[in-house]
Amino acid sequence: MSKLIKATVKRGQIREAVEHSLIKRKKRNRRFRALGLSAIILGMLFVGVMFASIISKGYSAFWRTEIQLPIHFDPAVIDPQNTGNPEVLASANYQKLVKDALRKQFPEVKKRKEKRNLYRLVSSGAAGQLRRLVLKDASVIDTTQNLWLIADDDVDQYYKHGQSQSRLKEKQLAWLAQLRAKGDLRSRFNASFFSTGDSREPELAGIRGAVVGSFFVILVTLGLSLPLGVAAAIYLEEFSRRNRWTNLIEININNLAAVPSIVFGLLGLAVFINFFGLPRSAPLVGGLVLTLMTLPTIIIASRAALKSVPPSIREAALGMGASKMQTTFHHVLPLAMPGILTGSIIGMAQALGETAPLLMIGMVAFIVDIPGSIMDPATVLPVQIYLWADSPERAFTERTSAAILVLLTFLVLMNLLAIRLRRKWEKRW
Amino acid sequence: MKKLRSVMAVSMIVSAGIAAAGARDYIYVVGSSTVYPFATVVAERFGKSTKFKTPKIESTGSGGGMKLFCQGVGVKHPDITNASRRIKKSEFDKCQANGVKDIVEIKIGYDGIAIANSKKAPRFKLSRKDIFLALAKDVPDPKAPESGKLVPNPYSTWDEINPELPSYKIEVLGPPPTSGTRDAFAELAMEGGCKTFAWIKQIKKDSKAAKKSGDKKLAKQLKNKYKAICHGVREDGRYIEAGENDNLIVQKLEANPKALGVFGYSYLEQNEDRIQGSQIDGVLPEFELIANGEYPVSRPLFFYAKKMHVGKIPGIKEFLVEFTSEQAWGDEGYLIDKGLIPMPAEERKKYGKAAKQLIPMKF
């Protein structure tokens, strides 16, 4: 370079040299900006494609197809002895009522095999609908009512996506066309997707059980990791003396944050289940395992937040005669709280989306009943997604995507909350 | 202070957990992921139509399920384990050693293993020998098949094996070695083709003869050699391990019409509009043909129940009765709708009786 300058100075062409290099520098600048921009565009594109694919596959799960049938609540089927006993009412053969109604609607169907195909139009969950109706109000017995019943998943897929993706037989399509012509086929908001537990029938499967399970797991995780993590961070940052031991602890905490999550699952299996004898599949154990996983995240975030509180605050408090503990709890901790909470929420969001450690402790299970406490067997949202993705029934594809949408919504909400908290309480010094 | 309090809270929660683990009012099932879709349907119906809670079903794989099942007796341990193969002698002995004495064995039906491709391509007509030659790690020397010499699998297209097959590259998507489907595939399809070579079959005969004459070491050695030849799958990228997710294999087959996939019959049935099952030894993987045993690649499915838990955990007996009722596993039962291949009526009667009377199995 200097040689070049000397040479140009000799010729008195400094100006030209500068202009020459300026063009080069500007070019470089532009190139770097273009690369940066294209990286962002590419990243956004991937996110966009992912969201578009999930939404386009999943949105249809929020609707369900229903078939209207005149159901005769035959007392001879429901309660032949006229006992009115709720147990008798609960165990009656409601499937038969649905079958009778279907046969009445299509009297031309006579052959056994054809009848079976006909019965397959309506979901096996329709019997449950009728049972609930009778148990709620026994006066419907011996009346005939026009009811909208849940359609089978094959019918549902046909109604949503047309014939190209349907496994229905020709006869079944003809029956559906008849129903449709009479206006006895409709699509409605699938509220039961949010209110029921898992099922092997796609049209009946819901995410309530998984959401409640996730809630319990996160509750345990938050309840344990927040106090433990904050206490550890305060001690390390404010009280402990710097020596070899605290250095060792610090290095270990940083290392723990990088340990693959499956390892925590194995640890949980060995310690909580095999040693302490806690039940498998319980949210308590899931929460304990995820606590181990999120603790380092929370400790590191909390320490960073405590560190960012200026020393002048501490010195002022100490100067006014406050004890070390008063200084910490009355002045430093409140100022560090937004940072601590942000870190914790992000740690919780991470725990909410975690599957691997939960595989080891028996949370990959078919659980229909909604868990009522942290000791009941439960599964969580990401595991539910995993289970549905592996189910043979085609209709589970859209349910898988819909469950992913629900999980993503929770994650986005938690991250928004973290951003809001930071915006609202953050202080700049 | 805060730390102390939270430490106390943790220990309290843990001790409360131990206390609560003393009781369980729901049935606990573990085991095979192949039986899982059937057991879950029964569990769901059972939970809805009886006063009992819905059983909890964990999908752990056949081997993992046996391990949990045989660990002992008590509420901590599962009541039932599902298996896509029969219990092994070693597992049975371990059960006995751990005090799990009376085990009720129930066969629930059959599962066919399909070898399928996209409907965009012509249907494959395979023999078990073709399958063995296409997928084995080492095959008998093509120049002199009966010479007893093995060479690393030289075949790269299907028509090299059998001129009637298409000239596609050999590309088979299938389950990994941890899967029960893979075990059954190796045992039924590959071994079936392997045995067609007289000298390989002779190894097995020799092994049996050695066992009879008391030379256990030689018998084991020969048996392992036989297994290595017949069950060894090539690792040069022609057989692609596609994970346990059969739906994924179906999607990949649609994208690549020249590839074949290996998976359970229920996935074939659900996707009949997109993929077709290959003929094996002249038989298509169709419901009736699997049920009457003509289709060669099908295996029985089982579950095992602990008799000692009956009466301690509510509903076990009722659950067995529901599982073995005609409306579940009968020719037109709801399990059949889910892709289970029913057993002949006589077998159903036999195992139905075992379930009702809780007859323990003998090995």
PDB file of all heavy atoms in Angstrom, chain B residues 101-134:
ATOM      1  N   LYS B 101     -44.982 -64.390  38.647  1.00  0.00           N
ATOM      2  CA  LYS B 101     -45.168 -65.828  38.436  1.00  0.00           C
ATOM      3  C   LYS B 101     -46.195 -66.138  37.352  1.00  0.00           C
ATOM      4  O   LYS B 101     -45.869 -66.706  36.328  1.00  0.00           O
ATOM      5  CB  LYS B 101     -45.579 -66.486  39.751  1.00  0.00           C
ATOM      6  CG  LYS B 101     -44.446 -66.476  40.778  1.00  0.00           C
ATOM      7  CD  LYS B 101     -43.488 -67.649  40.569  1.00  0.00           C
ATOM      8  CE  LYS B 101     -42.497 -67.744  41.705  1.00  0.00           C
ATOM      9  NZ  LYS B 101     -41.155 -67.287  41.354  1.00  0.00           N
ATOM     10  N   ASP B 102     -47.427 -65.765  37.590  1.00  0.00           N
ATOM     11  CA  ASP B 102     -48.479 -66.192  36.665  1.00  0.00           C
ATOM     12  C   ASP B 102     -48.689 -65.148  35.587  1.00  0.00           C
ATOM     13  O   ASP B 102     -49.204 -64.062  35.841  1.00  0.00           O
ATOM     14  CB  ASP B 102     -49.791 -66.430  37.424  1.00  0.00           C
ATOM     15  CG  ASP B 102     -49.653 -67.629  38.358  1.00  0.00           C
ATOM     16  OD1 ASP B 102     -48.804 -68.486  38.074  1.00  0.00           O
ATOM     17  OD2 ASP B 102     -50.376 -67.678  39.362  1.00  0.00           O
ATOM     18  N   ILE B 103     -48.283 -65.483  34.366  1.00  0.00           N
ATOM     19  CA  ILE B 103     -48.443 -64.562  33.253  1.00  0.00           C
ATOM     20  C   ILE B 103     -49.493 -65.133  32.310  1.00  0.00           C
ATOM     21  O   ILE B 103     -49.420 -66.294  31.926  1.00  0.00           O
ATOM     22  CB  ILE B 103     -47.113 -64.390  32.500  1.00  0.00           C
ATOM     23  CG1 ILE B 103     -46.025 -63.923  33.456  1.00  0.00           C
ATOM     24  CG2 ILE B 103     -47.270 -63.438  31.341  1.00  0.00           C
ATOM     25  CD1 ILE B 103     -44.635 -63.972  32.864  1.00  0.00           C
ATOM     26  N   VAL B 104     -50.484 -64.317  31.980  1.00  0.00           N
ATOM     27  CA  VAL B 104     -51.513 -64.769  31.043  1.00  0.00           C
ATOM     28  C   VAL B 104     -51.122 -64.283  29.652  1.00  0.00           C
ATOM     29  O   VAL B 104     -50.940 -63.090  29.427  1.00  0.00           O
ATOM     30  CB  VAL B 104     -52.890 -64.199  31.437  1.00  0.00           C
ATOM     31  CG1 VAL B 104     -53.956 -64.724  30.486  1.00  0.00           C
ATOM     32  CG2 VAL B 104     -53.228 -64.572  32.870  1.00  0.00           C
ATOM     33  N   GLU B 105     -50.967 -65.242  28.737  1.00  0.00           N
ATOM     34  CA  GLU B 105     -50.564 -64.884  27.378  1.00  0.00           C
ATOM     35  C   GLU B 105     -51.779 -64.840  26.468  1.00  0.00           C
ATOM     36  O   GLU B 105     -52.543 -65.803  26.408  1.00  0.00           O
ATOM     37  CB  GLU B 105     -49.566 -65.918  26.843  1.00  0.00           C
ATOM     38  CG  GLU B 105     -49.151 -65.645  25.416  1.00  0.00           C
ATOM     39  CD  GLU B 105     -48.251 -66.742  24.855  1.00  0.00           C
ATOM     40  OE1 GLU B 105     -48.678 -67.908  24.829  1.00  0.00           O
ATOM     41  OE2 GLU B 105     -47.131 -66.429  24.470  1.00  0.00           O
ATOM     42  N   ILE B 106     -51.969 -63.721  25.786  1.00  0.00           N
ATOM     43  CA  ILE B 106     -53.089 -63.599  24.861  1.00  0.00           C
ATOM     44  C   ILE B 106     -52.559 -63.189  23.495  1.00  0.00           C
ATOM     45  O   ILE B 106     -51.903 -62.167  23.357  1.00  0.00           O
ATOM     46  CB  ILE B 106     -54.106 -62.520  25.325  1.00  0.00           C
ATOM     47  CG1 ILE B 106     -54.512 -62.725  26.788  1.00  0.00           C
ATOM     48  CG2 ILE B 106     -55.311 -62.500  24.403  1.00  0.00           C
ATOM     49  CD1 ILE B 106     -55.399 -63.892  27.033  1.00  0.00           C
ATOM     50  N   LYS B 107     -52.885 -63.996  22.504  1.00  0.00           N
ATOM     51  CA  LYS B 107     -52.568 -63.603  21.129  1.00  0.00           C
ATOM     52  C   LYS B 107     -53.771 -62.836  20.624  1.00  0.00           C
ATOM     53  O   LYS B 107     -54.911 -63.255  20.830  1.00  0.00           O
ATOM     54  CB  LYS B 107     -52.362 -64.883  20.329  1.00  0.00           C
ATOM     55  CG  LYS B 107     -51.772 -64.701  18.970  1.00  0.00           C
ATOM     56  CD  LYS B 107     -51.731 -66.098  18.378  1.00  0.00           C
ATOM     57  CE  LYS B 107     -50.956 -66.300  17.182  1.00  0.00           C
ATOM     58  NZ  LYS B 107     -51.067 -67.678  16.718  1.00  0.00           N
ATOM     59  N   ILE B 108     -53.559 -61.674  20.018  1.00  0.00           N
ATOM     60  CA  ILE B 108     -54.736 -60.881  19.636  1.00  0.00           C
ATOM     61  C   ILE B 108     -55.040 -60.936  18.146  1.00  0.00           C
ATOM     62  O   ILE B 108     -56.144 -60.618  17.724  1.00  0.00           O
ATOM     63  CB  ILE B 108     -54.597 -59.403  20.062  1.00  0.00           C
ATOM     64  CG1 ILE B 108     -53.342 -58.776  19.458  1.00  0.00           C
ATOM     65  CG2 ILE B 108     -54.605 -59.275  21.564  1.00  0.00           C
ATOM     66  CD1 ILE B 108     -53.333 -57.278  19.570  1.00  0.00           C
ATOM     67  N   GLY B 109     -54.076 -61.320  17.328  1.00  0.00           N
ATOM     68  CA  GLY B 109     -54.334 -61.341  15.891  1.00  0.00           C
ATOM     69  C   GLY B 109     -53.032 -61.254  15.150  1.00  0.00           C
ATOM     70  O   GLY B 109     -51.968 -61.505  15.712  1.00  0.00           O
ATOM     71  N   TYR B 110     -53.117 -60.884  13.891  1.00  0.00           N
ATOM     72  CA  TYR B 110     -51.919 -60.846  13.060  1.00  0.00           C
ATOM     73  C   TYR B 110     -51.707 -59.465  12.457  1.00  0.00           C
ATOM     74  O   TYR B 110     -52.643 -58.672  12.339  1.00  0.00           O
ATOM     75  CB  TYR B 110     -52.028 -61.881  11.931  1.00  0.00           C
ATOM     76  CG  TYR B 110     -52.044 -63.291  12.439  1.00  0.00           C
ATOM     77  CD1 TYR B 110     -53.243 -63.931  12.732  1.00  0.00           C
ATOM     78  CD2 TYR B 110     -50.856 -63.978  12.661  1.00  0.00           C
ATOM     79  CE1 TYR B 110     -53.261 -65.223  13.221  1.00  0.00           C
ATOM     80  CE2 TYR B 110     -50.865 -65.261  13.155  1.00  0.00           C
ATOM     81  CZ  TYR B 110     -52.076 -65.881  13.428  1.00  0.00           C
ATOM     82  OH  TYR B 110     -52.080 -67.155  13.918  1.00  0.00           O
ATOM     83  N   ASP B 111     -50.464 -59.220  12.112  1.00  0.00           N
ATOM     84  CA  ASP B 111     -50.117 -57.990  11.426  1.00  0.00           C
ATOM     85  C   ASP B 111     -49.314 -58.379  10.198  1.00  0.00           C
ATOM     86  O   ASP B 111     -48.346 -59.128  10.300  1.00  0.00           O
ATOM     87  CB  ASP B 111     -49.287 -57.103  12.359  1.00  0.00           C
ATOM     88  CG  ASP B 111     -48.823 -55.833  11.664  1.00  0.00           C
ATOM     89  OD1 ASP B 111     -49.633 -55.280  10.897  1.00  0.00           O
ATOM     90  OD2 ASP B 111     -47.686 -55.406  11.887  1.00  0.00           O
ATOM     91  N   GLY B 112     -49.724 -57.909   9.034  1.00  0.00           N
ATOM     92  CA  GLY B 112     -48.961 -58.184   7.820  1.00  0.00           C
ATOM     93  C   GLY B 112     -47.907 -57.116   7.625  1.00  0.00           C
ATOM     94  O   GLY B 112     -48.112 -55.967   7.992  1.00  0.00           O
ATOM     95  N   ILE B 113     -46.767 -57.492   7.087  1.00  0.00           N
ATOM     96  CA  ILE B 113     -45.759 -56.496   6.749  1.00  0.00           C
ATOM     97  C   ILE B 113     -45.763 -56.338   5.240  1.00  0.00           C
ATOM     98  O   ILE B 113     -45.582 -57.308   4.507  1.00  0.00           O
ATOM     99  CB  ILE B 113     -44.374 -56.918   7.252  1.00  0.00           C
ATOM    100  CG1 ILE B 113     -44.396 -56.965   8.777  1.00  0.00           C
ATOM    101  CG2 ILE B 113     -43.310 -55.940   6.775  1.00  0.00           C
ATOM    102  CD1 ILE B 113     -43.138 -57.500   9.375  1.00  0.00           C
ATOM    103  N   ALA B 114     -46.021 -55.111   4.810  1.00  0.00           N
ATOM    104  CA  ALA B 114     -46.156 -54.863   3.382  1.00  0.00           C
ATOM    105  C   ALA B 114     -44.855 -54.311   2.823  1.00  0.00           C
ATOM    106  O   ALA B 114     -44.125 -53.605   3.497  1.00  0.00           O
ATOM    107  CB  ALA B 114     -47.289 -53.876   3.127  1.00  0.00           C
ATOM    108  N   ILE B 115     -44.573 -54.681   1.575  1.00  0.00           N
ATOM    109  CA  ILE B 115     -43.473 -54.066   0.845  1.00  0.00           C
ATOM    110  C   ILE B 115     -44.150 -53.339  -0.303  1.00  0.00           C
ATOM    111  O   ILE B 115     -44.699 -53.963  -1.203  1.00  0.00           O
ATOM    112  CB  ILE B 115     -42.488 -55.134   0.339  1.00  0.00           C
ATOM    113  CG1 ILE B 115     -41.922 -55.872   1.555  1.00  0.00           C
ATOM    114  CG2 ILE B 115     -41.378 -54.498  -0.473  1.00  0.00           C
ATOM    115  CD1 ILE B 115     -41.215 -57.138   1.205  1.00  0.00           C
ATOM    116  N   ALA B 116     -44.170 -52.022  -0.235  1.00  0.00           N
ATOM    117  CA  ALA B 116     -45.041 -51.276  -1.136  1.00  0.00           C
ATOM    118  C   ALA B 116     -44.269 -50.226  -1.914  1.00  0.00           C
ATOM    119  O   ALA B 116     -43.165 -49.841  -1.538  1.00  0.00           O
ATOM    120  CB  ALA B 116     -46.150 -50.605  -0.336  1.00  0.00           C
ATOM    121  N   ASN B 117     -44.881 -49.771  -3.021  1.00  0.00           N
ATOM    122  CA  ASN B 117     -44.321 -48.633  -3.754  1.00  0.00           C
ATOM    123  C   ASN B 117     -45.448 -47.721  -4.210  1.00  0.00           C
ATOM    124  O   ASN B 117     -46.627 -48.011  -4.014  1.00  0.00           O
ATOM    125  CB  ASN B 117     -43.458 -49.112  -4.924  1.00  0.00           C
ATOM    126  CG  ASN B 117     -44.273 -49.823  -5.988  1.00  0.00           C
ATOM    127  OD1 ASN B 117     -45.402 -50.249  -5.721  1.00  0.00           O
ATOM    128  ND2 ASN B 117     -43.731 -49.963  -7.166  1.00  0.00           N
ATOM    129  N   SER B 118     -45.061 -46.595  -4.820  1.00  0.00           N
ATOM    130  CA  SER B 118     -46.043 -45.614  -5.251  1.00  0.00           C
ATOM    131  C   SER B 118     -46.912 -46.187  -6.360  1.00  0.00           C
ATOM    132  O   SER B 118     -46.457 -47.008  -7.157  1.00  0.00           O
ATOM    133  CB  SER B 118     -45.322 -44.372  -5.738  1.00  0.00           C
ATOM    134  OG  SER B 118     -46.192 -43.598  -6.523  1.00  0.00           O
ATOM    135  N   LYS B 119     -48.144 -45.693  -6.441  1.00  0.00           N
ATOM    136  CA  LYS B 119     -49.039 -46.178  -7.493  1.00  0.00           C
ATOM    137  C   LYS B 119     -48.641 -45.660  -8.855  1.00  0.00           C
ATOM    138  O   LYS B 119     -49.143 -46.104  -9.877  1.00  0.00           O
ATOM    139  CB  LYS B 119     -50.473 -45.740  -7.179  1.00  0.00           C
ATOM    140  CG  LYS B 119     -51.140 -46.675  -6.201  1.00  0.00           C
ATOM    141  CD  LYS B 119     -52.626 -46.736  -6.426  1.00  0.00           C
ATOM    142  CE  LYS B 119     -53.182 -48.011  -5.854  1.00  0.00           C
ATOM    143  NZ  LYS B 119     -54.632 -47.973  -5.730  1.00  0.00           N
ATOM    144  N   LYS B 120     -47.724 -44.656  -8.854  1.00  0.00           N
ATOM    145  CA  LYS B 120     -47.284 -44.097 -10.135  1.00  0.00           C
ATOM    146  C   LYS B 120     -46.407 -45.099 -10.888  1.00  0.00           C
ATOM    147  O   LYS B 120     -46.181 -44.954 -12.072  1.00  0.00           O
ATOM    148  CB  LYS B 120     -46.490 -42.822  -9.886  1.00  0.00           C
ATOM    149  CG  LYS B 120     -47.361 -41.660  -9.427  1.00  0.00           C
ATOM    150  CD  LYS B 120     -46.485 -40.471  -9.041  1.00  0.00           C
ATOM    151  CE  LYS B 120     -47.064 -39.711  -7.875  1.00  0.00           C
ATOM    152  NZ  LYS B 120     -46.042 -39.034  -7.095  1.00  0.00           N
ATOM    153  N   ALA B 121     -45.864 -46.090 -10.186  1.00  0.00           N
ATOM    154  CA  ALA B 121     -44.996 -47.084 -10.818  1.00  0.00           C
ATOM    155  C   ALA B 121     -45.732 -48.415 -10.866  1.00  0.00           C
ATOM    156  O   ALA B 121     -46.710 -48.615 -10.152  1.00  0.00           O
ATOM    157  CB  ALA B 121     -43.708 -47.229 -10.014  1.00  0.00           C
ATOM    158  N   PRO B 122     -45.270 -49.346 -11.741  1.00  0.00           N
ATOM    159  CA  PRO B 122     -45.939 -50.653 -11.786  1.00  0.00           C
ATOM    160  C   PRO B 122     -45.738 -51.424 -10.479  1.00  0.00           C
ATOM    161  O   PRO B 122     -44.780 -51.195  -9.755  1.00  0.00           O
ATOM    162  CB  PRO B 122     -45.251 -51.368 -12.955  1.00  0.00           C
ATOM    163  CG  PRO B 122     -43.986 -50.634 -13.180  1.00  0.00           C
ATOM    164  CD  PRO B 122     -44.199 -49.228 -12.736  1.00  0.00           C
ATOM    165  N   ARG B 123     -46.666 -52.338 -10.209  1.00  0.00           N
ATOM    166  CA  ARG B 123     -46.601 -53.129  -8.993  1.00  0.00           C
ATOM    167  C   ARG B 123     -45.454 -54.141  -9.074  1.00  0.00           C
ATOM    168  O   ARG B 123     -45.227 -54.743 -10.130  1.00  0.00           O
ATOM    169  CB  ARG B 123     -47.919 -53.868  -8.816  1.00  0.00           C
ATOM    170  CG  ARG B 123     -48.114 -54.458  -7.450  1.00  0.00           C
ATOM    171  CD  ARG B 123     -49.260 -55.435  -7.433  1.00  0.00           C
ATOM    172  NE  ARG B 123     -50.586 -54.818  -7.527  1.00  0.00           N
ATOM    173  CZ  ARG B 123     -51.267 -54.339  -6.487  1.00  0.00           C
ATOM    174  NH1 ARG B 123     -50.737 -54.372  -5.303  1.00  0.00           N
ATOM    175  NH2 ARG B 123     -52.463 -53.824  -6.657  1.00  0.00           N
ATOM    176  N   PHE B 124     -44.728 -54.312  -7.999  1.00  0.00           N
ATOM    177  CA  PHE B 124     -43.630 -55.274  -7.952  1.00  0.00           C
ATOM    178  C   PHE B 124     -44.170 -56.679  -7.709  1.00  0.00           C
ATOM    179  O   PHE B 124     -45.090 -56.859  -6.921  1.00  0.00           O
ATOM    180  CB  PHE B 124     -42.655 -54.928  -6.826  1.00  0.00           C
ATOM    181  CG  PHE B 124     -41.542 -54.006  -7.238  1.00  0.00           C
ATOM    182  CD1 PHE B 124     -41.803 -52.676  -7.512  1.00  0.00           C
ATOM    183  CD2 PHE B 124     -40.241 -54.460  -7.338  1.00  0.00           C
ATOM    184  CE1 PHE B 124     -40.784 -51.807  -7.880  1.00  0.00           C
ATOM    185  CE2 PHE B 124     -39.216 -53.610  -7.711  1.00  0.00           C
ATOM    186  CZ  PHE B 124     -39.485 -52.282  -7.977  1.00  0.00           C
ATOM    187  N   LYS B 125     -43.586 -57.650  -8.399  1.00  0.00           N
ATOM    188  CA  LYS B 125     -43.928 -59.045  -8.111  1.00  0.00           C
ATOM    189  C   LYS B 125     -42.661 -59.698  -7.605  1.00  0.00           C
ATOM    190  O   LYS B 125     -41.787 -60.068  -8.382  1.00  0.00           O
ATOM    191  CB  LYS B 125     -44.431 -59.739  -9.383  1.00  0.00           C
ATOM    192  CG  LYS B 125     -45.798 -59.245  -9.776  1.00  0.00           C
ATOM    193  CD  LYS B 125     -46.363 -60.046 -10.931  1.00  0.00           C
ATOM    194  CE  LYS B 125     -47.769 -59.601 -11.235  1.00  0.00           C
ATOM    195  NZ  LYS B 125     -47.870 -58.875 -12.494  1.00  0.00           N
ATOM    196  N   LEU B 126     -42.566 -59.827  -6.303  1.00  0.00           N
ATOM    197  CA  LEU B 126     -41.322 -60.298  -5.701  1.00  0.00           C
ATOM    198  C   LEU B 126     -41.481 -61.711  -5.158  1.00  0.00           C
ATOM    199  O   LEU B 126     -42.586 -62.158  -4.855  1.00  0.00           O
ATOM    200  CB  LEU B 126     -40.930 -59.391  -4.526  1.00  0.00           C
ATOM    201  CG  LEU B 126     -40.621 -57.931  -4.848  1.00  0.00           C
ATOM    202  CD1 LEU B 126     -40.655 -57.103  -3.585  1.00  0.00           C
ATOM    203  CD2 LEU B 126     -39.266 -57.826  -5.515  1.00  0.00           C
ATOM    204  N   SER B 127     -40.350 -62.395  -5.042  1.00  0.00           N
ATOM    205  CA  SER B 127     -40.338 -63.622  -4.255  1.00  0.00           C
ATOM    206  C   SER B 127     -39.478 -63.314  -3.037  1.00  0.00           C
ATOM    207  O   SER B 127     -38.749 -62.330  -3.014  1.00  0.00           O
ATOM    208  CB  SER B 127     -39.739 -64.771  -5.054  1.00  0.00           C
ATOM    209  OG  SER B 127     -38.364 -64.553  -5.235  1.00  0.00           O
ATOM    210  N   ARG B 128     -39.571 -64.173  -2.012  1.00  0.00           N
ATOM    211  CA  ARG B 128     -38.753 -63.922  -0.835  1.00  0.00           C
ATOM    212  C   ARG B 128     -37.269 -64.028  -1.186  1.00  0.00           C
ATOM    213  O   ARG B 128     -36.440 -63.355  -0.594  1.00  0.00           O
ATOM    214  CB  ARG B 128     -39.132 -64.892   0.273  1.00  0.00           C
ATOM    215  CG  ARG B 128     -40.326 -64.382   1.061  1.00  0.00           C
ATOM    216  CD  ARG B 128     -40.707 -65.318   2.139  1.00  0.00           C
ATOM    217  NE  ARG B 128     -41.411 -66.482   1.601  1.00  0.00           N
ATOM    218  CZ  ARG B 128     -41.824 -67.496   2.348  1.00  0.00           C
ATOM    219  NH1 ARG B 128     -41.582 -67.485   3.639  1.00  0.00           N
ATOM    220  NH2 ARG B 128     -42.459 -68.500   1.807  1.00  0.00           N
ATOM    221  N   LYS B 129     -36.967 -64.846  -2.189  1.00  0.00           N
ATOM    222  CA  LYS B 129     -35.575 -64.967  -2.620  1.00  0.00           C
ATOM    223  C   LYS B 129     -35.100 -63.638  -3.220  1.00  0.00           C
ATOM    224  O   LYS B 129     -33.983 -63.189  -2.951  1.00  0.00           O
ATOM    225  CB  LYS B 129     -35.480 -66.094  -3.654  1.00  0.00           C
ATOM    226  CG  LYS B 129     -34.067 -66.494  -3.964  1.00  0.00           C
ATOM    227  CD  LYS B 129     -34.059 -67.718  -4.871  1.00  0.00           C
ATOM    228  CE  LYS B 129     -32.680 -68.006  -5.387  1.00  0.00           C
ATOM    229  NZ  LYS B 129     -32.651 -69.120  -6.320  1.00  0.00           N
ATOM    230  N   ASP B 130     -35.957 -63.011  -4.015  1.00  0.00           N
ATOM    231  CA  ASP B 130     -35.592 -61.703  -4.578  1.00  0.00           C
ATOM    232  C   ASP B 130     -35.287 -60.719  -3.458  1.00  0.00           C
ATOM    233  O   ASP B 130     -34.331 -59.950  -3.530  1.00  0.00           O
ATOM    234  CB  ASP B 130     -36.750 -61.130  -5.411  1.00  0.00           C
ATOM    235  CG  ASP B 130     -37.058 -61.991  -6.629  1.00  0.00           C
ATOM    236  OD1 ASP B 130     -36.161 -62.716  -7.059  1.00  0.00           O
ATOM    237  OD2 ASP B 130     -38.199 -61.912  -7.120  1.00  0.00           O
ATOM    238  N   ILE B 131     -36.150 -60.726  -2.432  1.00  0.00           N
ATOM    239  CA  ILE B 131     -35.980 -59.781  -1.332  1.00  0.00           C
ATOM    240  C   ILE B 131     -34.647 -60.037  -0.632  1.00  0.00           C
ATOM    241  O   ILE B 131     -33.885 -59.106  -0.353  1.00  0.00           O
ATOM    242  CB  ILE B 131     -37.150 -59.908  -0.338  1.00  0.00           C
ATOM    243  CG1 ILE B 131     -38.458 -59.523  -1.031  1.00  0.00           C
ATOM    244  CG2 ILE B 131     -36.919 -59.030   0.878  1.00  0.00           C
ATOM    245  CD1 ILE B 131     -39.679 -59.779  -0.198  1.00  0.00           C
ATOM    246  N   PHE B 132     -34.367 -61.310  -0.406  1.00  0.00           N
ATOM    247  CA  PHE B 132     -33.106 -61.648   0.269  1.00  0.00           C
ATOM    248  C   PHE B 132     -31.922 -61.179  -0.568  1.00  0.00           C
ATOM    249  O   PHE B 132     -31.002 -60.522  -0.071  1.00  0.00           O
ATOM    250  CB  PHE B 132     -33.039 -63.156   0.517  1.00  0.00           C
ATOM    251  CG  PHE B 132     -31.688 -63.625   0.975  1.00  0.00           C
ATOM    252  CD1 PHE B 132     -31.227 -63.288   2.247  1.00  0.00           C
ATOM    253  CD2 PHE B 132     -30.873 -64.383   0.153  1.00  0.00           C
ATOM    254  CE1 PHE B 132     -29.976 -63.707   2.672  1.00  0.00           C
ATOM    255  CE2 PHE B 132     -29.619 -64.805   0.571  1.00  0.00           C
ATOM    256  CZ  PHE B 132     -29.171 -64.459   1.845  1.00  0.00           C
ATOM    257  N   LEU B 133     -31.948 -61.501  -1.865  1.00  0.00           N
ATOM    258  CA  LEU B 133     -30.812 -61.147  -2.714  1.00  0.00           C
ATOM    259  C   LEU B 133     -30.655 -59.633  -2.847  1.00  0.00           C
ATOM    260  O   LEU B 133     -29.553 -59.115  -2.955  1.00  0.00           O
ATOM    261  CB  LEU B 133     -30.977 -61.769  -4.105  1.00  0.00           C
ATOM    262  CG  LEU B 133     -30.822 -63.289  -4.137  1.00  0.00           C
ATOM    263  CD1 LEU B 133     -31.058 -63.819  -5.543  1.00  0.00           C
ATOM    264  CD2 LEU B 133     -29.437 -63.708  -3.655  1.00  0.00           C
ATOM    265  N   ALA B 134     -31.773 -58.918  -2.795  1.00  0.00           N
ATOM    266  CA  ALA B 134     -31.697 -57.461  -2.958  1.00  0.00           C
ATOM    267  C   ALA B 134     -31.168 -56.785  -1.706  1.00  0.00           C
ATOM    268  O   ALA B 134     -30.515 -55.752  -1.784  1.00  0.00           O
ATOM    269  CB  ALA B 134     -33.069 -56.907  -3.316  1.00  0.00           C
TER     270      ALA B 134
END
